[in-house]
Structures are given as structure tokens and as C-alpha cells.
Amino acid sequence: MARYIGPKTKIARKFGAAIYGDDKNFERRKNQPPGQHGPNKRRGAKRSEYAIQLTEKQKAKYTYGILERQFANLYDKASRSKGVTGEVLLQLCESRLDNVVYRLGFAKSRAGARQLVSHRHITVNGEVVNIPSYLLKAGDVVAVREKSKSLDVIADALASKSTYEWLQFNDEKKEGTFVSAPERIQIPEDIKEQLIVELYNK
């Protein structure tokens, strides 16, 4: 499937969570599933175990903006590594360049961060990297390219950025260091990764 570019509020209402950040429309209609007829009896029916697990996987994919094959590859890598598979999966998602650009505050959304990366505005260890799925390693330095530092979209995003324990940020240089992959307790996303593991293990 292609990357989703449709209404974000609709997807957030589908999962019952503001997966794309603050959304006034979602807050107003979060208890109403998407669809022109609103909630109905069929939607209220008890969902199967498989449906619950699949929904959680889709929620993670939409949250991080990852396509099916990319997500499956990340899961395969997580399942072959040491540690708890579900936690490692989320750590790999958090280690993606587009996600770190978003976490550092260079963009207001992951989609915006992905655009900055693909348009060659971001460097890793001094070299331009235009691959959003690039996986960072501990110690990597992510920065805004020198001639891109004056972009209004970056300045606006930095004005409301958050801070995270696994990232060190230098405001003067507009660069951040990926200290290490975050522990599960440090990842703020409301994703039940164990359900995803159970789905892939079927």
C-alpha cells in the first residue's frame, strides 16, 4: 500500500487516540468512530483476538509513518536481536532518522520530518542523509544543514519542541546527539507492542 495522505483525524478516531499529536477535531469527536453513520451496532460487536492485534499493528504503522514491508523488516530485525522483541521493535522505530528529527523538534510532525530529510535539509555526522528510514546508532549527531537553518518551518517547530532523555540538543548549533535507543518506559507512544508480537507469531 502507498503511504497514507488522507484525513488524519479520521485515522485518529479509528484508533481512539491522538496518534498525530494535538487535534481539536479529534478531541471533539474522539468517542465517535469514523463513518457518515457514526457508531452502530455492528461496530459495537465484540472484536476477535486477531482484529485487536491487527489494529495495534496498524496503529504503530500509522504513528511512525511506516509502510507494511518496512515494518515487517523492522520486526524481523527485532526478533533476531537480543532483548524483548516488542521493546526492540519500538526502539528501532524510535531510531529512524525521520522520528529523531521529529523528536529533536526540527519538525512539528513525523510527516514534516520525513519531508525535511528527503529534501536534504538534514545531516548525520556532518553528511547529508536523505533516507527517512536510516537507523541511527548511539553517538550519531543529527543537525540541520547550514544553508537550511534559516527555514521558517524549522524555527516555528523549534519554538514548541519537547525534550527527551535519550537525546541531547544544542540550540545554538541546531543539532542533537542520539545518545542511545530509549528504554520502553521512556517512549511516550501508547502502543501495546506485545499484541504486535503475538500477531506476527501466529
Side-chain angles (χ1 to χ4, degrees):
M1 86 171 206
R3 198 175 303 281
Y4 181 77
I5 57 173
K8 293 182 178 180
T9 301
K10 180 179 179 181
I11 297 300
R13 287 167 57 202
K14 174 182 176 180
F15 298 117
I19 62 173
Y20 293 112
D22 294 336
D23 186 339
K24 293 180 181 177
N25 291 326
F26 170 75
E27 290 301 321
R28 192 174 71 249
R29 307 174 68 184
K30 62 182 177 182
N31 293 323
Q32 181 183 357
Q36 62 178 340
H37 302 298
N40 58 39
K41 292 181 180 178
R42 288 183 65 186
R43 281 206 184 98
K46 185 177 180 181
R47 297 191 303 162
S48 68
E49 181 182 276
Y50 175 79
I52 294 171
Q53 294 166 348
L54 180 61
T55 297
E56 204 63 28
K57 186 188 80 166
Q58 290 174 327
K59 180 180 176 182
K61 282 170 50 187
Y62 278 113
T63 298
Y64 288 102
I66 303 176
L67 299 180
E68 180 63 43
R69 182 173 292 180
Q70 291 176 317
F71 196 80
N73 289 340
L74 285 178
Y75 178 82
D76 185 53
K77 187 170 184 175
S79 65
R80 287 186 281 108
S81 65
K82 296 178 181 179
V84 181
T85 301
E87 292 183 13
V88 175
L89 175 62
L90 291 187
Q91 288 176 333
L92 290 173
C93 291
E94 287 289 335
S95 300
R96 283 171 53 102
L97 180 57
D98 56 356
N99 181 76
V100 173
V101 168
Y102 163 68
R103 294 289 193 205
L104 286 171
F106 295 144
K108 292 184 177 180
S109 67
R110 288 185 179 87
R114 196 156 44 245
Q115 189 174 55
L116 286 179
V117 174
S118 61
H119 288 191
R120 303 176 65 85
H121 295 299
I122 302 298
T123 65
V124 177
N125 299 328
E127 299 291 330
V128 173
V129 177
N130 63 345
I131 304 171
S133 61
Y134 180 87
L135 291 177
L136 296 170
K137 299 182 291 293
D140 283 348
V141 177
V142 179
V144 177
R145 197 175 177 185
E146 192 60 41
K147 66 180 184 179
S148 302
K149 289 182 177 179
S150 59
L151 289 175
D152 290 339
V153 65
I154 293 176
D156 290 345
L158 284 171
S160 58
K161 79 182 201 69
S162 301
T163 57
Y164 298 92
E165 298 172 6
W166 68 93
L167 300 171
Q168 290 179 347
F169 185 73
N170 185 318
D171 190 44
E172 185 178 337
K173 294 182 178 180
K174 284 189 171 58
E175 68 177 32
T177 302
F178 183 72
V179 179
S180 64
E183 298 295 327
R184 178 61 186 98
I185 196 171
Q186 296 174 314
I187 300 174
E189 308 303 340
D190 181 22
I191 295 172
K192 298 179 179 67
E193 64 274 10
Q194 185 56 36
L195 293 177
I196 301 174
V197 174
E198 291 171 4
L199 176 67
Y200 276 108
N201 284 338
K202 282 187 178 296

